[in-house]
Every structure is written in structure tokens, then in C-alpha cells.
Amino acid sequence: MIPRLETERLILRGWLPEDFEPLAAIHGDPEVMVFLGGVMERNDAWRSLASLAGHWALRGYGKWAVERKSDGAMMGRVGLINPEGWPALEVGWTLGRQYWGQGYATEAAAAAMRFGFLTQPVDRLISCIDANNLASQAVAKRIGETKTGSDVLRIAGQEYAVDIWEITRAEWMKRTGAGGA
């Protein structure tokens, strides 16, 4: 049910039970989670894994497990989300700290964006990014998004101020040379 995407260095694939340990480690890392609501306990990381898998069943798209081709390492989660109350269909990315700064997030996010525009009837895709998250802002810029405003997300009873970064279908098509679809 979850399509498999491949890039030069990565495989974006469905979730497996063995992905829980690396995902729990990512969700337990204070540096990774500083802009994502804080560290998760293992039981909350399990619920997050179930939510990642369930988003595909409910929406027909979601975030993939990102696997590095060279060694099979499960590096994090990248893909499309649009939970209840979200401002629009979002391209999001979260990778383990050891994978930062190597272009993996940009590579995976660009593949997810392509999938989104080729399969979903949307005029734009967004990314919700904390105003202090300079690394994610840099990824957004590299995939062609620009900051267009701000919003407040409500998640589990908490409110999070975010900047909205977006790219329109027309901008994406011009940038990538994609025709039709």
C-alpha cells in the first residue's frame, strides 16, 4: 500500500517493526526534537510510529521511513502529512542527528514533494517550520519553498507557532521541468 521511492542514495519505504528502535532513538534525542515538541518517551515514540503508518491508511499518503542504500540504516521520516486542523498538505522531514548536513533531508524531501505534486490534486505544498529552525529553513529553500506567512499548530493540547514555507505547483513545475501531471 505504501509506495516505495528511490533517489540516488535513499529508499523511501513503508514502516517495519524493526524501525521502532531507530525511530525511538530519534524521538529521544533532545537536539532532534528541540523544534518538534520535545523529547518523546518510548511509549510515545511507539504511538508516533503507529500514527506514521496509519496516516497512509487514512489519507493515501504519509511519511516514509528513509533508508540509506549504502548500509540499510533507517535514518528518519520524510513525506506528506495533513492531519486534522493542518493548514495544508505538508512536506515534512526529520532525520537522526548523525545524518544531518549531508543533503539527505533535501534529497528525500524533494522526492516526497514530487510524489505529492504527481499524485495529489493540490495547488501548493507547505512546510511548517519553527522560526528558529535554521537547518529546516535551509532545506525548504533548497527544495524551492519560500516563507509566506505564519500559523499556530495545535497538537495534543499544545500550541506551536510556525512559519509557513510553500511552493506552488506552477513554481515546482517550472523549477523541475515537470510537464503535465
Side-chain angles (χ1 to χ4, degrees):
M1 173 178 153
I2 299 176
R4 177 183 169 106
L5 305 181
E6 290 196 33
T7 68
E8 181 182 341
R9 301 179 295 165
L10 306 172
I11 298 168
L12 283 67
R13 59 162 175 78
W15 294 93
L16 303 170
E18 55 267 27
D19 294 331
F20 174 65
E21 289 302 330
L23 187 67
I26 290 166
H27 287 186
D29 184 328
E31 279 190 71
V32 173
M33 298 303 291
V34 67
F35 301 117
L36 299 171
V39 169
M40 285 187 192
E41 295 182 15
R42 284 179 62 84
N43 63 342
D44 292 324
W46 175 259
R47 285 188 215 25
S48 177
L49 177 60
S51 177
L52 289 164
H55 200 287
W56 282 97
L58 296 172
R59 297 276 198 214
Y61 54 80
K63 286 187 178 177
W64 289 269
V66 179
E67 182 180 309
R68 187 166 51 190
K69 286 181 177 180
S70 65
D71 61 3
M74 201 294 281
M75 304 165 57
R77 56 192 174 120
V78 175
L80 305 170
I81 63 167
N82 194 5
E84 177 61 27
W86 229 240
L89 182 57
E90 177 180 7
V91 178
W93 49 87
T94 305
L95 297 181
R97 191 168 10 117
Q98 65 269 40
Y99 307 111
W100 293 358
Q102 300 170 64
Y104 293 128
T106 300
E107 188 174 330
M113 179 178 283
R114 176 176 172 76
F115 178 87
F117 278 127
L118 293 179
T119 66
Q120 300 304 307
V122 295
D123 292 327
R124 71 182 180 127
L125 292 172
I126 68 165
S127 296
C128 302
I129 302 175
D130 187 285
N132 296 310
N133 190 341
L134 301 181
S136 278
Q137 292 172 27
V139 171
K141 289 175 188 174
R142 285 193 294 273
I143 62 172
E145 292 181 322
T146 55
K147 182 181 164 187
T148 59
S150 61
D151 204 339
V152 176
L153 303 178
R154 188 160 176 83
I155 305 168
Q158 300 293 317
E159 292 187 344
Y160 300 93
V162 295
D163 289 336
I164 302 296
W165 290 71
E166 75 174 56
I167 186 170
T168 66
R169 178 181 296 277
E171 290 166 341
W172 175 79
M173 290 175 67
K174 182 178 179 184
R175 178 180 170 83
T176 63

